[in-house]
């Protein structure tokens, strides 16, 4: 069992940056692929970014590539999402998730989810 708690969301203006953190409980954090997903009002949850167990492989959705960076610190059981050049269309609830298999972007493959943190970008 893994418990995930996100933090770092907030209200920013377009063009600004935010850094989200996701702290995981337990001693097996490094055995999971970690991902960030988001859900905007009235829309389905969508993949944002994911990182391999060692941190050597990172995948991004096309809409955030070049603006967002995912990273992890296995010593601190934490995964991060640095979001730069934010746009109003990035407004959503952002959730982190842990995956014990081999998928990066498939939502249904993720085993554990956090409650999410709200990110609002004003124009």
């Amino acid at each position: 069992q893994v418990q995930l708690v996100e933090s770092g969301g907030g209200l920013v203006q377009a063009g600004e940056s935010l850094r989200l953190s996701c702290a995981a409980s337990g001693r097996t954090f490094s055995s999971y692929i970690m991902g960030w997903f988001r859900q905007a009002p009235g829309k389905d949850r969508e993949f944002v970014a994911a990182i391999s167990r060692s941190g050597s492989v990172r995948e991004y959705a096309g809409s955030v590539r070049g603006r967002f960076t995912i990273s992890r610190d296995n010593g601190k059981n934490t995964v991060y999402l640095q979001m730069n050049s934010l746009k109003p269309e990035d407004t959503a609830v952002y959730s982190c998730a842990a995956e014990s298999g081999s998928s990066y972007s498939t939502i249904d493959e993720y085993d554990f989810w956090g409650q999410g943190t709200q990110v609002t970008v004003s124009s």
Side-chain angles (χ1 to χ4, degrees):
Q1 192 78 7
V2 177
Q3 292 186 328
L4 304 171
V5 179
E6 302 94 338
S7 62
L11 171 64
V12 297
Q13 293 188 335
E16 294 184 340
S17 299
L18 276 176
R19 187 197 196 200
L20 305 183
S21 299
C22 172
S25 65
R27 295 173 289 178
T28 59
F29 176 74
S30 61
S31 67
Y32 293 95
I33 289 172
M34 297 300 298
W36 284 98
F37 296 80
R38 67 186 181 186
Q39 187 167 22
K43 295 187 177 181
D44 292 334
R45 181 178 284 175
E46 65 175 1
F47 169 74
V48 175
I51 189 167
S52 64
R53 294 167 175 84
S54 67
S56 61
V57 176
R58 306 177 189 188
E59 291 195 3
Y60 297 93
S63 59
V64 307
R65 189 175 293 116
R67 300 188 297 123
F68 291 10
T69 302
I70 188 171
S71 61
R72 67 189 297 163
D73 185 334
N74 287 341
K76 294 182 178 180
N77 283 10
T78 302
V79 62
Y80 305 96
L81 185 68
Q82 177 67 43
M83 305 185 295
N84 298 330
S85 303
L86 282 162
K87 304 175 181 180
E89 52 263 44
D90 294 319
T91 295
V93 174
Y94 285 71
S95 300
C96 67
E99 206 263 288
S100 60
S102 59
S103 172
Y104 283 84
S105 61
T106 304
I107 292 174
D108 292 344
E109 294 296 317
Y110 279 77
D111 304 294
F112 304 103
W113 292 82
Q115 292 297 310
T117 185
Q118 177 71 46
V119 171
T120 304
V121 185
S122 64
S123 59

